[in-house]
Amino acid sequence: MVLKSDRPVIAALRDVQVSVPPAVRRGDTATLHCYYDMDGESLYSVKWYKGRREFYRYTPKESPPMKIFPAQGVQVKRSASNESQLTLLGLSLASSGKYSCEVSADAPSFHTMIVTGDLEVCEVPKHVPSIHGMRSRYRVGDIVRGNCTSHNSRPPANLTWYINEAQANPSYIRTHKPFRERKNEFETSLAGIHFVVGNHHFVNGKLKIRCTARIHDIYLQSTERSIDEDRPRVISAASSANSNGKGANGNAVPYDHFPPYAENELDRKDYMTHLQDVTSGSSPTARPILPSPAPLTSFDQFRLPSINHLRWAFGPLTVLLLPFAHPLLSSLINRIAPPLRA
């Protein structure tokens, strides 16, 4: 037996919900949804507000059912809007704000419910984040200092540092307050990193540092730097003896010639260690490599020094006067040279 209640069933509007995208890129399109359950009642109207200003109304019993009112930063696409959804075109920074959907039932109840959601229109950076202040090579015990910058966005990007694919220890991070650009309303984010390099930081001689910039779920860009481990360079005595003071191509290398240095290498007090051959019962010792001067003949002692040596020994004045003194000195040497050669 089925029992029926004598109490009348009361129809009522319920379960009103709104779906608003939390973040949208500037210039994009956004679709807002308003869900509700009339539960047997008739729909009277659906209204949308930005803040407290009504800009959209849908009344199914009126003709036309759709009405649009002006509001700052709001441009409605009619063909994609109805009683349950609303499409906004060409979003600008002025489109950000609170959007509310108000649903009303028809007579006799005219029951009304309203729900609200937040929409933020974002200006994303035009370029990936940049890393500054780091060298290309580090040794164990060195201090790594660097900054990551993400320019011209709104809101400012959230910056995160990673070391070898793992998020950096918070104690390594130096946070800075975002600052506003003078020429526009956008903001720039800045985050620093500062830590001492340890053996565990190098993987196969490489240290990878990455900075990631994120804005909600609509922007994610990264920049990575690969750093080489800088180790002391060691050569054996045998290899230096075979070279006989000559370069790789067999040509003599002038002592006043400096090879090109890599980035930031001149300020690291770099060194070259020379290991002597080890004989039985003796321990290796380290000594600097010194060139062995070639023996000079009697005539060679009177040879004129090069312009390069005079420049460092006697200064610019000697270099200027040398062309005038050269004929006299050459004549004197020619007179003295025959007896010396004999």
Side-chain angles (χ1 to χ4, degrees):
M1 183 176 66
V2 178
L3 299 177
K4 294 183 179 181
S5 174
D6 294 334
R7 299 175 59 184
V9 177
I10 300 176
L13 171 67
R14 61 182 182 180
D15 296 335
V16 178
Q17 300 178 17
V18 69
S19 174
V20 178
V24 182
R25 290 177 180 242
R26 183 170 67 92
D28 284 359
T29 298
T31 300
L32 290 64
H33 293 89
C34 189
Y35 305 103
Y36 47 88
D37 183 2
M38 298 304 300
D39 195 21
E41 285 195 294
S42 298
L43 176 66
Y44 175 70
S45 68
V46 174
K47 299 178 182 179
W48 281 94
Y49 299 84
K50 181 177 182 290
R52 296 184 178 182
R53 179 181 292 274
E54 180 186 358
F55 66 90
Y56 179 86
R57 181 186 301 174
Y58 189 90
T59 309
K61 293 184 178 181
E62 294 183 359
S63 182
M66 184 185 302
K67 293 181 181 178
I68 298 175
F69 311 101
Q72 184 181 11
V74 175
Q75 182 181 353
V76 178
K77 184 177 182 180
R78 289 178 175 269
S79 60
S81 302
N82 51 39
E83 71 276 10
S84 61
Q85 77 174 31
L86 175 71
T87 301
L88 303 179
L89 298 172
L91 295 174
S92 64
L93 297 179
S95 304
S96 299
K98 293 184 177 295
Y99 287 80
S100 303
C101 175
E102 179 187 272
V103 182
S104 299
D106 204 350
S109 69
F110 289 106
H111 187 198
T112 300
M113 296 183 68
I114 185 170
V115 287
T116 302
D118 292 313
L119 172 67
E120 183 174 17
V121 179
C122 304
E123 178 72 25
V124 301
K126 292 181 173 59
H127 305 286
V128 299
S130 57
I131 296 177
H132 302 283
M134 292 185 183
R135 304 200 305 262
S136 60
R137 303 174 69 89
Y138 284 91
R139 294 176 182 171
V140 173
D142 286 351
I143 297 177
V144 175
R145 296 184 181 90
N147 289 320
C148 178
T149 308
S150 179
H151 294 277
N152 293 332
S153 67
R154 183 175 176 183
N158 294 318
L159 301 178
T160 306
W161 285 100
Y162 294 86
I163 300 177
N164 295 331
E165 305 302 328
Q167 188 168 341
N169 190 314
S171 63
Y172 295 172
I173 309 304
R174 303 293 185 266
T175 57
H176 303 276
K177 183 179 179 180
F179 59 91
R180 187 178 298 274
E181 300 288 347
R182 294 182 179 179
K183 58 184 178 181
N184 50 44
E185 297 181 354
F186 305 144
E187 295 180 276
T188 293
S189 300
L190 176 65
I193 191 168
H194 181 283
F195 67 96
V196 179
V197 180
N199 285 313
H200 63 284
H201 287 130
F202 289 106
V203 179
N204 297 326
K206 296 286 186 179
L207 166 61
K208 293 184 178 181
I209 299 180
R210 185 173 82 250
C211 176
T212 298
R214 180 192 299 270
I215 299 178
H216 295 289
D217 59 350
I218 62 174
Y219 176 83
L220 179 64
Q221 293 290 338
S222 298
T223 297
E224 184 174 278
R225 293 286 298 272
S226 181
I227 296 173
D228 295 324
E229 183 178 6
D230 191 7
R231 298 177 179 176
R233 292 170 289 178
V234 179
I235 62 173
S236 64
S239 61
S240 63
N242 292 335
S243 63
N244 291 326
K246 296 184 178 181
N249 57 1
N251 298 325
V253 179
Y255 300 133
D256 59 347
H257 173 72
F258 291 90
Y261 284 85
E263 178 186 0
N264 297 318
E265 199 167 351
L266 290 175
D267 62 350
R268 295 189 296 101
K269 298 182 180 179
D270 206 357
Y271 60 89
M272 184 79 75
T273 303
H274 179 83
L275 297 180
Q276 292 181 330
D277 291 334
V278 180
T279 59
S280 59
S282 62
S283 59
T285 59
R287 61 180 178 83
I289 302 175
L290 298 176
S292 300
L296 298 177
T297 63
S298 300
F299 178 73
D300 290 333
Q301 297 178 3
F302 291 92
R303 294 176 61 185
L304 290 176
S306 66
I307 295 293
N308 192 41
H309 288 82
L310 284 175
R311 181 180 61 188
W312 294 105
F314 302 103
L317 182 60
T318 304
V319 177
L320 294 175
L321 296 178
L322 184 60
F324 302 99
H326 186 273
L328 297 177
L329 294 176
S330 298
S331 176
L332 179 61
I333 290 174
N334 290 333
R335 294 181 181 180
I336 299 175
L340 292 177
R341 290 175 179 171

